[in-house]
Amino acid sequence: MTDKGSRFPLRLSSVVDKSSRGESRSSPSVHTEMPQTAMKNAAKNALHTGGRSTASVLSAAGVVNSPIRQENTSAIPLVSANIRRAMVARVMDQGVKDSLVLAALEAIPRHMFIESGLASQAYIDASLPIGHHQTISKPYIVARMIEIMRSGGELGRVLEIGTGCGYQAAVLSLVARDVYSIERIKALHELAKNNLRPMRIPNIRLHYGDGMLGLPQVAPFDGIILAAAGLEVPQALLEQLTIGGRLIAPVGGGRQVLQLIERVAKLEWKSSILEQCHFVPLRQGMV
Ligand code: SAH
């Protein structure tokens, strides 16, 4: 199941080049699509990482080569940095507080994970199509789920089910030591590889396979996050959590809710139901 070619012993530092290209593509619609209030909120919330800059939050967390620092090297990337800050301000308004998660959201250039025709919508709080009837998750829900998963403590090894375009894996890479992500659609697995490659993120491993089975060869995980909704959480995943580990997943058919499951002992899990959500379905097998 492991795809050796999908490893990224590379660094995030080269992100600026592609980012700059993406900016010139998307910047013309920036002013028409971003609500002015969002930009005002961004300015108002300039100190949203507890008075520290994003770069300093990330560097305090041991994250080096944040694209934020490099984006300050030219005017165009700064436009995207400002828009991302506005997006983060809206996510904060919706209740996300974890400064490391917010900093990660601000650092990852979401527009680089979606096709160029939609890049101008990259920083609105919406899910967007990525092909094959799948979507990139809304920034709010990405942040919220990671915040919930992280509130169990420091994250070492994390498993994501549903790589899609790779955006959430990139965000996770800034808050966890090692990120493993599984995608069942080969074309999306390839897309994520292509999207992530120029970012040179060293701690992401992409796998093509059925995420419902987890990754027993790598388990246990401190955190497991599902980006697709099943009627229930697969038992195999529960068994791949460390004791004290947390799994967060959308669950349900028509009406979905976020479910948090904590493993409290070898044979004991504690479950709680959180807010409503809307995700693409979790499916068995590979295509
Ligand atoms: N994490 C993505 C979200 C992708 S949408 C982001 O950053 O936005 C959810 C993804 O889950 C889809 O790509 C879908 O193909 C995938 N998926 C659904 N069932 C799966 C399974 N059993 N194993 C792995 N991936 C699955």
Side-chain angles (χ1 to χ4, degrees), residues 34-98:
M34 290 305 302
Q36 276 191 327
T37 46
M39 296 305 283
K40 277 193 207 138
N41 285 342
K44 200 174 71 193
N45 288 304
L47 297 178
H48 62 71
T49 49
R52 293 180 293 164
S53 70
T54 304
S56 78
V57 169
L58 289 171
S59 104
V63 175
V64 289
N65 292 321
S66 154
I68 286 293
R69 263 166 277 169
Q70 289 135 37
E71 280 195 330
N72 290 338
T73 56
S74 86
I76 290 173
L78 270 176
V79 175
S80 145
N82 286 339
I83 296 169
R84 257 196 317 278
R85 215 163 286 136
M87 176 190 85
V88 170
R90 290 194 302 277
V91 168
M92 283 181 70
D93 281 348
Q94 292 174 83
V96 176
K97 295 188 181 67
D98 185 329

Side-chain angles (χ1 to χ4, degrees), residues 134-137 160 162 168 183-185 188 210-211 227 283:
Q134 307 302 322
T135 54
I136 179 173
S137 305
E160 177 193 36
Q168 180 167 266
E183 173 56 55
R184 68 181 285 274
I185 300 178
L188 290 178
D210 181 355
R283 296 201 192 284

